Amino acid sequence: MTTTSAARSGGGARVGVQKFGTFVSGMVLPNIAAFIAWGLITALFIPTGWLHLLGYEPTWVQQLGGWSLDPKVTNTGLVGPMITYLLPLLIANTGGRMVYGFRGGVIGTIATMGVIIGAGIPMFLGAMIVGPGAAWIMKKVDSIWDGKIRPGFEMLIDNFSGGIVGAALAIVAFFVIAPVVTAISNFLESVVHFLVNSHLLPLASLFVEPGKILFLNNAINHGVFTPLGTIEASKAGQSILFLIEANPGPGVGILLAFAVFGVGLLRASAPGAILIQFIGGIHEIYFPYVLAKPLLVVAAIAGGATGVLTNVIFHSGLRNPASPGSIIAVIGAAPPSSLLGVLLSVVFSAAVSFLVASVIIRASRRRDLEAIALGEDTALADAVARNAANKGRDSQVGALLGQGAATAAAGTVATGSKIQTIIFACDAGMGSSAMGATVLRNKIKKAGIDGVTVENRAIANLTDDVDLVITQQQLTERAKQKTPHAQHVSVDNFMSSPKYDEVVALVQAQQ
């Protein structure tokens, strides 16, 4: 399947959900380093942290951890102020910037202070609403006198209008939005507690695992579980919510099943994918394997539910988000009392997903082998792409290659179609797209090609001034909306795709 194919039914709704999820997670993802920093400080310095466990409790450790025997004394040290003020304000600033640039970030931060002070609890949900909302209001207010200000008065008008709007929105957030968002937060928290206490939280995997396969993993984890989990961790010292989506076990089990019982290219590439997913924490690497055999979503659900159930039984969780979802990040975020339960949740979820996936893969093994013998191999996504490329059908890059080669033979190359900027785009712009960009960058370097830039970006940050955009199939429609004038290439697997060789050949022909 390539970018020239018609969009599948329901693609519009899927794209809409992906765009909303990307916007929500886009406010959290750039600030994950701050969440990890808060988690490290919490793990080390709070009264139940690692240093306390080791018996090292000097005054400076107690000061950083905010130790106090007086229950009325709060927000001392670093732990409390960081979760109450720093993290929500970073989210608000990022959301404001996404809507209205630097000015939107400033106004969103000002207004969010109102909801933080008014609520008195960590206001992640409030920051996600007020930050971009305040920026949007500021943008509309600025449009009223856009182009009508006399030269020399721009800075005066901008500063005072921003200050007035920001102050007004902070007051509104304090009295109106804070109580509403507090009620919503309390309701969501009570729902989570009910699911945990009723041992029903594993049912969340029925929605989480299929959502991940549709590339909503960042939206689910950083848009939902990270804010709720951080609030819970600030009270209980850990949260199970950090491991519902980030557990690397289900993906490892599926990839291991392909490595043992699979056939063709998927079997050959599975061991490398295991290393990238388990150690590197890039879960997107196993999504195409599930899409190649959609029934494998059952294995993902079974593995995910097993991992959640294990953490429920052992009362285990993480202090901070495990991002990326690597086993290294998971172990680093686990408090001492939860380390056993966390490790078992990864092992058990991988074992269950491996067993279920093995049954599914072996059931279709004979059919897959027959397809390989006939040279069709329609069950394997990479082989489909290779066959399409070899036959010259349904491949936009193949068509472009033919045109480019013909033009080059004539001694001229059309400037409008010359490729100088190649962008790998994914939901977050960090994990899988960075991996794909590295693979193609190395191929271009080996081919001796100069003057071509290969970068990775989030789809939300794409601009319509690039030449070629490479995305995974599920995300191509969204990329087209952001860059309608660019050439688009869809791949199944960022790690290995025959389309890369076509792109390299096309660029060579053009040069």
Side-chain angles (χ1 to χ4, degrees):
M1 181 176 178
T2 64
T3 56
T4 55
S5 303
R8 288 173 291 191
S9 59
R14 188 190 73 248
V15 169
V17 172
Q18 286 179 342
K19 287 176 67 176
F20 175 75
T22 298
F23 183 82
V24 173
S25 63
M27 288 186 273
V28 179
L29 267 175
N31 301 304
I32 281 297
F35 280 84
I36 294 176
W38 172 79
L40 290 173
I41 291 171
T42 303
L44 289 173
F45 300 119
I46 63 171
T48 57
W50 283 99
L51 293 181
H52 167 76
L53 193 67
L54 297 174
Y56 185 70
E57 302 174 358
T59 303
W60 66 272
V61 169
Q62 299 182 29
Q63 289 175 336
L64 289 175
W67 295 28
S68 176
L69 297 177
D70 186 356
K72 295 181 180 179
V73 178
T74 58
N75 284 343
T76 58
L78 286 178
V79 178
M82 286 182 73
I83 191 174
T84 303
Y85 302 108
L86 175 65
L87 299 182
L89 289 177
L90 284 173
I91 291 173
N93 185 271
T94 305
R97 283 173 177 257
M98 292 167 67
V99 173
Y100 195 31
F102 184 84
R103 183 169 171 81
V106 172
I107 302 304
T109 304
I110 296 171
T112 301
M113 275 301 296
V115 76
I116 290 174
I117 303 301
I121 61 174
M123 265 288 104
F124 296 99
L125 181 59
M128 290 180 175
I129 297 173
V130 175
W136 181 83
I137 292 174
M138 189 72 252
K139 185 177 182 179
K140 293 300 179 183
V141 170
D142 283 348
S143 67
I144 297 174
W145 47 72
D146 185 29
K148 301 175 184 177
I149 303 174
R150 291 187 177 184
F153 290 88
E154 295 89 351
M155 183 176 292
L156 179 68
I157 298 298
D158 284 349
N159 286 339
F160 271 90
S161 63
I164 293 170
V165 170
L169 291 176
I171 294 171
V172 172
F174 183 92
F175 287 109
V176 179
I177 301 179
V180 175
V181 177
T182 300
I184 295 174
S185 296
N186 291 337
F187 171 74
L188 293 176
E189 190 176 350
S190 65
V191 170
V192 171
H193 285 309
F194 169 77
L195 292 175
V196 172
N197 295 332
S198 304
H199 301 290
L200 296 176
L201 196 58
L203 295 179
S205 297
L206 290 171
F207 308 97
V208 171
E209 298 302 331
K212 287 175 66 175
I213 305 306
L214 295 176
F215 294 90
L216 293 173
N217 52 313
N218 289 316
I220 294 169
N221 192 26
H222 301 303
V224 179
F225 292 139
T226 293
L228 292 177
T230 305
I231 295 174
E232 184 180 0
S234 67
K235 300 176 181 178
Q238 64 180 37
S239 175
I240 191 177
L241 300 180
F242 291 136
L243 266 177
I244 293 181
E245 187 277 339
N247 187 342
V252 168
I254 291 173
L255 292 173
L256 188 60
F258 270 108
V260 177
F261 300 110
V263 296
L265 289 174
L266 288 182
R267 179 178 184 176
S269 60
I274 292 174
L275 185 65
I276 292 170
Q277 196 258 348
F278 194 60
I279 305 299
I282 302 175
H283 289 209
E284 289 91 343
I285 192 72
Y286 81 87
F287 299 169
Y289 291 80
V290 178
L291 293 172
K293 293 182 180 294
L295 193 57
L296 286 174
V297 73
V298 177
I301 292 172
T306 301
V308 176
L309 180 61
T310 303
N311 284 312
V312 169
I313 293 174
F314 282 84
H315 302 286
S316 51
L318 302 183
R319 292 191 189 276
N320 57 273
S323 182
S326 158
I327 187 62
I328 298 174
V330 168
I331 293 175
S337 59
S338 290
L339 192 55
L340 176 62
V342 166
L343 290 176
L344 289 178
S345 73
V346 175
V347 172
F348 290 164
S349 61
V352 170
S353 65
F354 170 77
L355 292 175
V356 177
S358 298
V359 173
I360 296 172
I361 293 172
R362 293 193 62 171
S364 59
R365 181 180 174 86
R366 177 178 297 178
R367 184 169 64 249
D368 293 338
L369 289 172
E370 291 174 353
I372 291 176
L374 294 174
E376 296 172 356
D377 199 11
T378 56
L380 303 178
D382 282 336
V384 170
R386 188 180 298 277
N387 287 340
N390 292 337
K391 295 176 183 177
R393 297 200 302 264
D394 298 328
S395 175
Q396 185 177 6
V397 181
L400 292 171
L401 177 58
Q403 296 169 1
T407 310
T412 58
V413 176
T415 357
S417 62
K418 190 172 182 179
I419 295 175
Q420 294 179 314
T421 306
I422 301 174
I423 302 296
F424 277 77
C426 70
D427 193 40
M430 292 185 284
S432 54
S433 60
M435 182 177 61
T438 301
V439 172
L440 182 60
R441 198 179 292 119
N442 290 336
K443 285 180 175 289
I444 288 178
K445 185 178 179 180
K446 288 179 181 178
I449 298 174
D450 296 320
V452 176
T453 303
V454 182
E455 300 176 357
N456 54 286
R457 296 182 193 171
I459 289 181
N461 296 332
L462 286 175
T463 53
D464 199 18
D465 58 354
V466 300
D467 302 315
L468 179 66
V469 179
I470 302 178
T471 51
Q472 287 169 315
Q473 290 179 0
Q474 299 288 326
L475 305 176
T476 301
E477 289 303 318
R478 287 172 55 203
K480 283 184 175 181
Q481 294 175 6
K482 298 288 290 187
T483 55
H485 294 97
Q487 300 171 26
H488 287 265
V489 175
S490 295
V491 298
D492 288 305
N493 189 339
F494 270 149
M495 191 61 189
S496 172
S497 173
K499 304 262 183 90
Y500 295 164
D501 295 326
E502 294 184 39
V503 172
V504 172
L506 170 61
V507 175
Q508 280 181 318
Q510 288 181 337
Q511 290 191 348

